[in-house]
Amino acid sequence: QVQLVESGGGLVQAGGSLRLSCAASGLTFRRYAMGWFRRAPGKEREFVAAISWSDSSTRYVDSVKGRFTLSRDNAKNTVYLQMNSLKREDTAVYYCAASKFTNIVVLTTSYDYWGQGTQVTVSS
């Protein structure tokens, strides 16, 4: 049974930092591209960042470039999303996802497994 468990969310002031983690089990982690998505209140789920399994290349939505960093540790079956300079508009539930695609994918439909999400709230 595949499980993706997110952690690290919470309440932070604008300009602060959080590090989200996603621990995977039940799959060959090193063979999965991993992604983070978020859903803000009243909005659709949107792509945030993704990392390939082949060369750990990354891709980010424009709104987080330069502030968020995605990395993976295949030995620990875990991906990390370091979020710096947080803004109120980053407030959302953040979801981790795993995809069998080799390369980076940004569509929700390209992901096979999803975590339950972790709340990130940025206050002014």
Side-chain angles (χ1 to χ4, degrees):
Q1 180 182 359
V2 175
Q3 282 193 312
L4 302 178
V5 180
E6 302 99 334
S7 61
L11 175 63
V12 63
Q13 287 190 327
S17 299
L18 284 173
R19 189 176 81 155
L20 304 184
S21 299
C22 173
S25 61
L27 51 71
T28 306
F29 179 77
R30 66 182 184 277
R31 293 293 189 180
Y32 280 77
M34 300 297 294
W36 284 94
F37 292 75
R38 65 187 179 187
R39 177 177 284 159
K43 295 187 177 181
E44 297 282 325
R45 188 176 300 192
E46 69 166 349
F47 168 79
V48 176
I51 187 167
S52 71
W53 68 260
S54 56
D55 60 2
S56 292
S57 56
T58 54
R59 182 173 175 179
Y60 302 90
V61 67
D62 286 346
S63 60
V64 309
K65 284 181 181 177
R67 300 189 298 121
F68 290 13
T69 302
L70 180 57
S71 61
R72 66 189 298 158
D73 186 337
N74 288 340
K76 296 182 178 181
N77 286 4
T78 301
V79 289
Y80 304 97
L81 184 66
Q82 178 67 43
M83 305 187 297
N84 299 329
S85 302
L86 283 161
K87 305 176 180 180
R88 287 193 64 186
E89 51 264 43
D90 295 318
T91 294
V93 177
Y94 283 70
Y95 298 90
C96 172
S99 170
K100 295 176 184 176
F101 280 88
T102 301
N103 298 316
I104 291 171
V105 288
V106 302
L107 298 177
T108 58
T109 52
S110 297
Y111 284 82
D112 302 284
Y113 305 105
W114 292 83
Q116 293 299 307
T118 185
Q119 177 70 47
V120 171
T121 303
V122 183
S123 64
S124 58

